[in-house]
Amino acid sequence: MNPLLDFLLVLATLIYSYLEAFVKLFVPAKRKSVAGELVLITGAGHGVGRATAFEFAKRQSRLVLWDINKHGVEDTAAECERLGATVQAFVVDCSKREEIYNAAEKVKKEIGDVSILVNNAGVITTADLLSTQDHQIERMFEVNILAHMWTTRAFLPTMMNNNHGHIVTVASAAGHFVTSFMVAYCSSKFAAVGFHKALTEELSTLGKDGIKTSCLCPVFINTGFVKNPSTRLGKILEVDEVVEALMEGILTNQKMIFVPSFQRVGLLLERLFPERTLAVLNKLTNVKFDAVIGQRSTQ
């Protein structure tokens, strides 16, 4: 195409996008129904996964719940049944590829085709890099990103055949912004955000517009995974408010869900401000949590 026409196309698209965003401030977004959809949630025995299962149960979805903790996932399943949902619970270690593939085959053969996949399972070790043990680093990558790939590879073919589905990546603000004593965790969550973006682009290229994608990126949540977190940016989030934002994002097909939403401003500042200014801002946020520091690992 002519470079001038290319520029005009980009400009017109930019203006249209801003006008569309302005209109959406006043017009409620249309929400889709998830009633009857088969929803698989990993890490469903605790925290965000557990609360997300409850929300889908309230909306008459059928549920498949995975977690490494048998007691936790069975408790979640029992509560979902009380809410009127059909539920199947599985004990699955999402750090193990073969367990994921075997459980996925069982789901497909015995229950049906998963149409909404919520990749929620995650682990974290808070320590400086040299104090973090090799197996802890490996597990963070196995659960926080590789498991997303294995589950998606297992259930995506049917979604593509039907051109229908929704893949949810539960990442973190740590997938966009870094903090000390979370080097391996931040790296795994940056990978999760990249996975979501690349998968979204690939599905678009393949013309599979019926398969939606969403990525959840919250700041610290009061789940107990990180001990004594605090920041000057705001309060520590409660599970319910994160899941409320997540469900709104899924039902309205939002691609990136930030909780709180002002993280978008932070991303803009990272692109506009010089490095020295960003370093000062990072210190002013005063992010704190319990971490192992100075205990050098030999393995």
Side-chain angles (χ1 to χ4, degrees):
M1 292 179 66
N2 185 295
L4 177 59
L5 292 178
D6 290 345
F7 172 76
L8 291 175
L9 175 62
V10 172
L11 181 62
T13 303
L14 179 66
I15 294 171
Y16 177 85
S17 298
Y18 278 124
L19 288 174
E20 182 183 42
F22 179 75
V23 170
K24 285 181 177 179
L25 292 175
F26 305 97
V27 178
K30 183 179 179 180
R31 290 164 179 78
K32 66 185 180 184
S33 171
V34 293
E37 300 280 1
L38 185 59
V39 183
L40 190 148
I41 304 172
T42 67
H46 176 77
V48 170
R50 179 181 173 88
T52 302
F54 295 163
E55 291 302 316
F56 275 110
K58 293 173 186 176
R59 290 168 173 80
Q60 291 81 52
S61 301
R62 298 177 295 140
L63 291 168
V64 176
L65 308 179
W66 288 6
D67 201 282
I68 193 172
N69 184 307
K70 184 175 187 293
H71 178 73
V73 74
E74 288 180 350
D75 276 358
T76 302
E79 181 59 31
C80 289
E81 288 176 344
R82 282 193 286 271
L83 292 169
T86 301
V87 191
Q88 296 290 331
F90 293 78
V91 176
V92 181
D93 183 349
C94 286
S95 72
K96 293 180 169 56
R97 181 183 59 193
E98 289 308 315
E99 279 199 33
I100 289 173
Y101 282 161
N102 289 338
E105 283 303 310
K106 191 170 183 179
V107 168
K108 288 185 282 188
K109 289 178 180 178
E110 299 181 6
I111 303 173
D113 296 329
V114 170
S115 53
I116 300 178
L117 172 62
V118 182
N119 282 312
N120 166 73
V123 295
I124 183 171
T125 296
T126 52
D128 67 80
L129 181 60
L130 297 180
S131 299
T132 310
Q133 297 182 16
D134 290 355
H135 72 88
Q136 293 171 326
I137 295 173
E138 288 173 344
R139 187 167 179 80
M140 276 185 272
F141 277 86
E142 287 164 349
V143 177
N144 295 351
I145 176 58
L146 289 179
H148 293 215
M149 294 192 177
W150 311 145
T151 54
T152 301
R153 282 169 58 84
F155 298 112
L156 183 59
T158 301
M159 293 186 192
M160 293 185 69
N161 288 339
N162 298 331
N163 193 23
H164 174 76
H166 202 133
I167 297 171
V168 180
T169 300
V170 176
S172 168
H176 297 275
F177 308 99
V178 297
T179 185
S180 300
F181 316 128
M182 285 187 177
V183 173
Y185 180 76
C186 287
S187 300
S188 69
K189 290 301 185 178
F190 264 77
V193 171
F195 167 77
H196 157 76
K197 289 183 175 181
L199 179 63
T200 301
E201 179 65 20
E202 184 165 287
L203 291 171
S204 176
T205 301
L206 294 171
K208 300 299 180 179
D209 57 345
I211 305 174
K212 308 303 181 183
T213 59
S214 298
C215 184
L216 175 68
C217 296
V219 297
F220 289 119
I221 310 173
N222 185 21
T223 58
F225 284 134
V226 176
K227 304 299 183 183
N228 300 315
S230 65
T231 173
R232 291 178 65 185
L233 284 177
K235 66 183 181 67
I236 305 304
L237 301 173
E238 296 299 327
V239 169
D240 288 347
E241 60 186 311
V242 174
V243 172
E244 181 181 358
L246 173 59
M247 290 304 301
E248 177 70 8
I250 293 170
L251 297 177
T252 57
N253 296 323
Q254 295 177 32
K255 286 186 171 60
M256 193 65 70
I257 306 164
F258 288 106
V259 190
S261 59
F262 68 68
Q263 289 181 76
R264 297 180 186 275
V265 177
L267 285 176
L268 178 62
L269 296 182
E270 276 206 335
R271 288 160 174 75
L272 296 178
F273 283 10
E275 186 175 337
R276 183 179 288 108
T277 304
L278 290 173
V280 172
L281 285 174
N282 285 337
K283 288 182 179 179
L284 291 176
T285 59
N286 197 29
V287 175
K288 293 181 180 179
F289 49 86
D290 291 353
V292 176
I293 303 170
Q295 296 182 15
R296 300 296 180 250
S297 172
T298 58
Q299 59 179 0

